[in-house]
Structures are given as structure tokens and as C-alpha cells.
Amino acid sequence: MKQILACLLLLVFAASAAHAERRVALVIGNSGYEHVTQLTNPDNDAKGMAEKLTSLDFEVVTGTNLSLRDMRKTVREFIAKLEGADLALFFYAGHGLQVNGENYLVPIDAELNSYVDLEFEAMPANLILNAMEHSTKVNLVFLDACRNNPLAENLARSMGTRSGSVGRGLAKIGSGVGSLISFATQPGNVALDGDGENSPFTTALIKHLGTPGQDITRDLVMVRRDVLEATKGQQVPWDNSSLTGEVILKQLEMVQPVEPEKPAINPQIELAYWDSIKSGESIAYFETYLNRYPDGQFADIARIRINEIRNRSEAEAARNAKPDTSAEIAFWQSIQNATRPEMYETYLEQYPDGIYAKLARLKITTLQQQAQAEAAAAAAAKEANAVAASKTAPSGPEITVAALPQQETASPASASAVTPSSISRSLSPEELATAMQTELNRLGCSVGRVDGDWGNRSRQALRTFSREAGVDLASLDPDPSILDRLKQSTGRVCPLTCGRNQELKNGKCIAVRQETPSKSNEKSNSTKTAQSSGTCPADPTASSRRLVDFNYRQITAVTTHPCGRQVVCNKPQSNVRPFKCFWK
């Protein structure tokens, strides 16, 4: 009986001693920032924590939406109350940042446009922590200040190459003996403001802080669980403790001792099991843990790890399922310079929606147009040969001139009325250049190879067409209206020009056989020349102007006059010197 009375007296003495403990708290919440977007919850968080701490017998100094001046005044009032206190608590909600490993609390009127502004516009967190540790043996600090901070971004931009010293979230704080510092999330990470009236971290603190008969460290374990669940694993509260004993903010109200319930699970065994699997990369490890400890301390983290491993496996499977295009690329490289449409048709049969499908169809169209142009040119040459053969006199000399097809030219007035068709207007620049080169070759205005590269030779060919067809062109560059004008022309437009030591025969340029005449033949040759020259005009310039064509480098051209003699013409290099031809 005496022992029971002694126990009861001890319990009453402990309860009265705990009740007599002097507790002081500082609560600050900054929401209404003047130079950045306002936060939603910090002043609500501060009001809720002030009510909670008041119910736990704290003398609470509260301040919300404080400027730097008001914040310093409030902190000074709190420090004045620390003298003689047994337990001190500091709670802050609002913007905070770390620079060079030091944490700063940001008042609502801060701008932080440069590094120098830190010392004049922000309050170092250590100012408050050092004062608490100097005056009080037991200190609790709760910082809900790790939100995404645009002021930190402004400061980092102003610091240039030193911007790396502005860290993400808050830095880790070393605590003195008898202190506990709790962050809304792990150092260097960003906490969420939340969608409700309070942030996820403050909501959990108000719910679990001061659980009757429970140590503060166990309260924070329950806070961590709630925050992990509310943020779906994005935010993990973190704390740093150097407490030397239990801190119970609210004692159990009991008259007689109650035998504590024996835990069904040994926490040391659970911790050892978790340490053995926490770095594993197999879902089976964490599923086995959840089967054994469905409500264990690390159950939420185990579920997060399962989701991470599953998502990583699915992403890797998706990457491996991506089709390999190396075979298609190798196939295309082997045919990309082919001159037969069948090669590109084979590619399209195998890869109808391949990487180069559009280019292959364009290649087929270009080659078909080029083949049609060559066929038309061959037909025109054959027709010219037939006409030339029919006009050749049986007894005359074996010198013929190709009878070129007559060009149906339109007057400048009608040419200017031509408008680009919808097909020509829809072509890309390369396709337009390719189509115009094909049409110029068909009309006898040679551009050489049809490759879509509109260079000097292509412009010279278009200039020759303009002159021979009597069409005035505003530009020598590819244009849909010019393409349509080329398509309207039929037959050969540009005359065939033979080079030095060549002559026009049966619509073709053939080499002139250079033979040294014998003395016995000189007389006969001179006789023939005299006979043929008798039918040739005295001045070859006027009659030969339309028989020759010069490229952009050529200044002299040789051709055969219809009278049978060869004529040499010089292209004027300026408007001062006239166009001049003479008999060879």
C-alpha cells in the first residue's frame, strides 16, 4: 500500500513539475510579399501554430506579414522573454533561401537584387538560433520556409558566375546540444505550399505536435508519414536532433500507472531488415517488406520505391521497343544517287512510311520528267533529221542544216497574262528549280545536269530562252509563272550552237575533219569555195546574228551558215563594240 501511494505521489509531482515548466515560442508567417507573388498559406500556418502552442502552455510571440523592421522588433521581443525559460520554440513559414551554406529568412518588403542586399534586407536564421541556444537548454525549431523562391532566382541572376552559391531550398543547420531543428523537407529541396488552408508540413505539425505522453521525435515520425502521403512522396520532412532526453510537450493525464502495451513488432528487427533492402533495385524486396510490415515505419517509402522501379522499367522497355532505323538508312545511302526510278520504288515498297519516303517520291517524279524531256528532245532531233534529209539536194555538196521545229511563241502581252498554276505554286524552291531545268532541257536550252541547283548555267539557259522566244522576264530566278510559260512552249526554242572545229549536220554538231589539202586539190577546193561563196551574202554579220549562242564565258562562236560556209562571230564585251561576224 505504501508503494502505491509513493508512485501516486511521484506521478503527481512529475505532472505538477511539467506543468510548472516555462515555455516560450516565437511564431512568424509571411505571405503578402510586395515584390514577388504572394504565398497562400504562411499567415494561416502561423495563426494555427500559435493556437496549438498556446494550448500546450507556451507564451507565444506572434507576427504575420512582417517587414524587415517589424521582423527585427518581433525577434527582439521574443529574445527578451528567453531569460529563465525552460523550453524555447521557433516556428517560421514563408520564403527562405540559402547562400554559401547560410540560411536567410525573407521579410515581405525584400527585393534582393544583388548579393549585398542580403545583409540589409534579409534576416540570418542563425541570429535567432544562437540566441535560443545561449539562453535555453531545450530548443525546438520548425522551418516551413523551403518553398520555391523567385527572390532566390533574382539573386542568382544578379550574381552571374557566383550564382552557384545560391542553393535550392534551405541548407543543413548544425544544432547545439539540447536542440532539435525540423525542416519541411530535406536540405536543398523545395517544399510545397499546399492546396488547403495550411501547408502539408504545418497541417501535420498541428495534428501530431503534443500527442499526449509521446516524445517529440515520435511526433515528427508521424508528421513525416502524413507529409509523404499528402505529397505522394515528393516531400520528405527532415530533422537534425541533439536532444539529450525525451521532450514530451503534453503528459498523459492518468492517476495510476498503466502498463505499456508490448509492441507486436520489434522495431530493431524492422530497421535492420529495411537497411538490408533499401538500396535494392528489385520490386520483390519492397513487396516482401510490405507483406511483413504493412504499417511499418518505412511502408510509405517502400511504396514509393516500388513505383520508381516500375516506372524506370517501363521507360526502358519503351526505349528498347523503338524501331531500329539503321537498316533503312543503309538502304537509302546505297541508292540515293541512283538514276533509275525503280530503285526508289523498291525503297518505297519496303519502307512506305520511311524517313526518306517523301524524298524518294520526289526523286521518282524528277527522273520521270527528265526521261520525258530526253524522249521529247530525241523525237525533235529525229524530226529535224528527217526534214533536213528531205531538203538535201542530190547533186549538191554534203552540207546540211538542221531544220529545227518552229517555236510557237506568245506575244509579251499574252505572256504577262500567264498566272502560276496551283501545282507550280505548291512546289518547294528545290522542286521548282528542278522542274524548270527539266523544261529548259526539253526546249533545247541546255542547263546540263538536272540537279535542282539553280546556278549561272541555268540562268544563261533561261536568258537564251527569253531572247529566242521573245519573252521579257523580270528575273532569271525560279518562279512559278516562268515554269508555266516554259510548259506552254513546244518544240526546240534555243538554236543548237556548235563549238570550234564543229559544224551543224543533220541537226547535230559534228567534228570537222581537218585534212591538209594536197597541192593537186588546192585548185579544186578553191573552185568549190568560190562556187559556194557566190551564194553567200557579202556581210555575214546581219544574217548570222540569230545563228550563234554564247554561254556566260564564251566570247567567240563558230557555226555553219545556211549557204554552206563557216562563219566566226565575236560577242561584244560592252555596248561600245558591235556584234561582228566574218567568214572563215
Side-chain angles (χ1 to χ4, degrees), residues 14-61:
S16 61
H19 184 73
E21 184 181 60
R22 184 166 176 264
R23 302 174 176 180
V24 182
L26 170 63
V27 177
I28 297 177
N30 287 337
S31 290
Y33 285 90
E34 298 174 2
H35 302 288
V36 293
T37 304
Q38 296 186 1
L39 297 175
T40 304
N41 295 326
D43 55 352
N44 295 334
D45 296 340
K47 293 173 183 177
M49 280 297 296
E51 293 175 2
K52 178 70 175 182
L53 295 175
T54 300
S55 69
L56 295 175
D57 300 324
F58 279 85
E59 296 176 40
V60 182
V61 178

Side-chain angles (χ1 to χ4, degrees), residues 254-269:
M254 56 185 179
V255 178
Q256 55 183 357
V258 178
E259 184 178 358
E261 182 181 354
K262 295 181 179 181
I265 298 175
N266 190 330
Q268 294 182 348
I269 296 177

Side-chain angles (χ1 to χ4, degrees), residues 420-440:
S421 65
S422 59
I423 297 177
S424 299
R425 195 180 296 110
S426 63
L427 294 177
S428 67
E430 183 179 357
E431 294 171 343
L432 181 60
T434 300
M436 289 184 61
Q437 287 176 335
T438 302
E439 292 299 321
L440 286 170

